[in-house]
Structures are given as structure tokens and as C-alpha cells.
Amino acid sequence: MSLPSRDALALDLLAWYRSVRRDLPWRRSRDPYRVWISEVMLQQTTVVAVVPYYRRFLRAFPTAKALASARLEDVLAAWSGLGYYRRARHLHQAARLVVARHRGRFPRTLDAALALPGVGRYTAGAILSIAYSLPLPVVDGNVARVLSRLLLIRKPRSAAGQRRLWNAAAALVTAAPAAPGDLNQALMELGATVCAPKHPACGACPVAHRCAARAADLEEEIPPPPRRRRPVEVRSAVAVVSRGGRFLLVRRRDPSLMQGLWELPAAGPGDSGDGLRLDLGRPVATVRHAITYRRLLISIHPARLLSEPRKGTYRWVARGDLHRVPTSSIVRKVLAAIPQPPV
Ligand code: SF4
């Protein structure tokens, strides 16, 4: 990219972003903590899904200090349903480090930011450019798509393609020294709202006249679609044991992505996989749930306890109190599928 075209592109992007940007709650403040929370939540999750979580999370943990002093269980409960729970665990650990090393303020340097759990090159660049106006680039999926089309980078996922993308993003952000955060957000916003993966709305694009893929009539071909893992169907069964309007939940102990969350007991004959002795009823419903490439098919069995569970690893929870307990969205889905608690 030549310097004049880089500067002109940056100017067009900034002007467009300032006139059309969506009014999102995290854009009302440049407080680094708020920017940090939003950037972590937005990884792998849509804006629409994030907004209510972002508001609730900040009410519960308004500062890094409040987050650092919270119990992990409460942080996971506030994250319940958002998925990718490792993000919440990292956020909690990182908040403790921010308090211990940086007096509760997100660090101002790239090295210090990258030393925090869960903060990679993208997240660090986004937070530092938006909150502290550092001219650091960001390349996420949206930005990669926009830049690979603008510059006709045919293999953006290759090592060479990645280098070109980061170099181009760095060149652009340098061309907007007064507002690097806005420039980065302009690229993200363009990818999220106009330069869509399929059928980009080039007619509404502020930089269509500078787009090499459009000029070559290749905007639908670049970037090539990612190779997706074939979906795998996974069948399982859960037991719904109720008592006085409350449901029995078991803490997940295996070192999986959902470790530490509370879930419904597995339904097995006699001794369930969770060490409970259950009298299982016939399945009353089936729910579907997708986690990355896995398509879960979960059958729901009403059940009766044949012996009391051991204290500590199980708990009884009323439907209305589920938001206080770290659970995956599967628990809510299953309970929503059974209108009356089975007896
Ligand atoms: Fe994307 Fe089309 Fe704009 Fe090129 S012209 S950046 S393909 S929306």
C-alpha cells in the first residue's frame, strides 16, 4: 500500500465510522476496564448476545478490583450461557494480576498487557488503541476479511498472508495517529456490518472505490471459506431430579472447557456416571444443542433418588435461582423443555 493511498483509505474509514457507528454500550466509555470486558466477551460471540451480559457483568463487577476480589464461582455464574468459559477464568486471574501489579488499572504497554492470561495480540491491540490511543493494529476475523479484500490477499490464513494483514493493519493505524482506536473500530465495524462473509454490500461501502477485490470482481471469492470440521452428533441423557420445586445439580469435575460448572446429573441405569443411584423414568423430551462442531442430542429423563447424594458435590437449585449458579446454557434449555417438574 502506497503512503497516499494508505492515508486516503484511513481518512475514508474514519469519516464513515464516525457517521454510522452503532451505539453500543462499551462505546460510551474509554475506561480500559470496560473496553477489556467487552473485547473478551466479543471473542467468538455476537454483539447481540454480548450486550445483556456486558451490562450485568459490569453491575456485578464494576472495576478490576471488584472482579479480582470476587469468587470464581460468582464470575462463572455471571458468565453462564455466554460459552467459552475459559475466557471468564482468564479474566478473573488477569484481574488479580492487574490489581497486584498495576494498582487495578489495565497496563499501558503492550508487553505488560500480553503478560496477562487471555490477552493476545488482538485483544491487547484493541484495548490499548481504544482506551489509551496507542497506534497498535488489530486483526480479527472481520478485519482480516476486509483487508484481504481491499488488498486482494488471496491466502489470508497462510503465514505470509497473516504477515501481510498485520502489516497492512499497522500501516493503517499509523495513518490515524489522532484516533487509532476509531480506525481499528472502523475496520471491525465495516466487516461486521457491510463487508459480510457472503454477499458483501459493496454498494454501501465507503471504500469500494479503493477495493482491489471489487475491481477484480472477486469479492465473493476472497477470502476462501475456512475448512470446517464435519459436525459430529453426540447423544447423551440427563436426569431431572426435583424436590420441592428445586432441581439436583452436580459439579462438573473433568478438566474440560466447562470444568467447575454445575449441570444436571448424567442419566444412567442404576449408578449414574455421577455416583448417584437413580430410578430413571422414560425420556420425556429431547433437546438439541451445538458446541462448536458437536451436535448434542440430549434426552431428558425424570428420575428419583434411591439414596441421598454426598454433600458438597451436589446442590439443589430452584429455577429462579439459576442465575446465581455457574451453569452452561444446556441446563436452562433442558429445564425449559419440561413444563412441570417431574415428581
Ligand atoms: Fe468489502 Fe465490497 Fe467494501 Fe471491498 S467494496 S471492502 S468487498 S464491502
Side-chain angles (χ1 to χ4, degrees):
M1 201 173 2
S2 69
L3 282 182
S5 63
R6 177 202 75 172
D7 291 350
L9 184 56
L11 277 178
D12 283 350
L13 286 167
L14 278 177
W16 171 79
Y17 177 66
R18 286 169 178 164
S19 65
V20 305
R21 69 183 194 166
R22 291 170 292 173
D23 179 22
L24 301 173
W26 46 88
R27 288 188 177 156
R28 294 182 189 165
S29 156
R30 290 175 62 192
D31 171 33
Y33 175 69
R34 288 171 175 256
V35 177
W36 179 21
I37 300 300
S38 69
E39 286 301 333
V40 174
M41 285 190 169
L42 287 164
Q43 292 163 10
Q44 291 139 321
T45 311
T46 62
V47 165
V48 174
V50 163
V51 168
Y53 279 91
Y54 172 82
R55 291 201 168 112
R56 275 199 301 271
F57 198 89
L58 280 170
R59 270 200 300 276
F61 315 109
T63 61
K65 214 168 163 189
L67 181 58
S69 55
R71 293 183 316 154
L72 176 60
E73 167 130 336
D74 295 332
V75 177
L76 288 171
W79 205 271
S80 292
L82 203 52
Y84 300 97
Y85 296 91
R86 190 174 290 146
R87 293 181 297 177
R89 282 195 197 88
H90 280 157
L91 205 47
H92 188 235
Q93 290 163 6
R96 293 189 164 180
L97 290 175
V98 163
V99 169
R101 293 179 187 165
H102 308 287
R103 295 198 210 144
R105 194 102 177 130
F106 193 88
R108 285 178 170 270
T109 67
L110 184 58
D111 283 350
L114 290 173
L116 298 172
V119 178
R121 192 175 177 189
Y122 166 82
T123 309
I127 299 167
L128 296 176
S129 65
I130 296 169
Y132 298 135
S133 291
L134 296 191
L136 292 170
V138 298
V139 177
D140 67 352
N142 282 329
V143 176
R145 187 169 58 256
V146 170
L147 290 178
S148 62
R149 286 171 173 165
L150 282 172
L151 304 176
L152 204 63
I153 299 173
R154 291 172 189 267
K155 294 184 179 170
R157 291 182 198 90
S158 67
Q162 284 291 305
R163 265 197 307 279
R164 282 191 67 193
L165 288 174
W166 279 95
N167 288 342
L172 272 176
V173 81
T174 313
D182 279 0
L183 189 282
N184 283 338
Q185 290 184 89
L187 284 168
M188 298 181 209
E189 189 85 345
L190 190 64
T193 60
V194 177
C195 193
K198 285 184 193 161
H199 316 309
C202 301
C205 178
V207 288
H209 56 298
R210 304 186 190 282
C211 179
R214 175 130 163 99
D217 201 17
L218 286 172
E219 65 269 23
E220 300 275 357
E221 268 91 315
I222 292 177
R227 262 198 236 135
R228 296 220 183 270
R229 206 162 161 172
R230 281 239 317 263
V232 177
E233 189 175 276
V234 180
R235 289 172 179 268
S236 64
V238 293
V240 177
V241 185
S242 68
R243 182 180 284 174
R246 295 185 304 160
F247 297 91
L248 187 66
L249 297 184
V250 51
R251 192 201 280 273
R252 195 162 176 138
R253 279 164 298 177
D254 59 328
S256 68
L257 290 178
M258 295 200 274
Q259 185 186 13
L261 300 190
W262 292 83
E263 59 181 17
L264 293 156
D271 195 344
S272 83
D274 295 308
L276 291 171
R277 290 191 57 241
L278 299 171
D279 176 20
L280 282 184
R282 296 173 67 80
V284 291
T286 302
V287 295
R288 291 176 182 276
H289 188 79
I291 300 180
T292 60
Y293 63 94
R294 292 187 198 85
R295 303 287 178 265
L296 309 185
L297 207 58
I298 305 162
S299 63
I300 307 169
H301 296 252
R304 205 167 52 83
L305 278 176
L306 294 175
S307 57
E308 280 303 300
R310 265 182 295 125
K311 283 208 168 73
T313 46
Y314 301 93
R315 69 200 282 179
W316 296 93
V317 180
R319 239 182 248 257
D321 288 334
L322 270 180
H323 63 283
R324 295 183 214 281
V325 181
T327 56
S328 80
S329 44
I330 295 174
V331 173
R332 288 151 221 254
K333 235 181 207 181
V334 167
L335 294 183
I338 45 164
Q340 293 297 323
V343 184

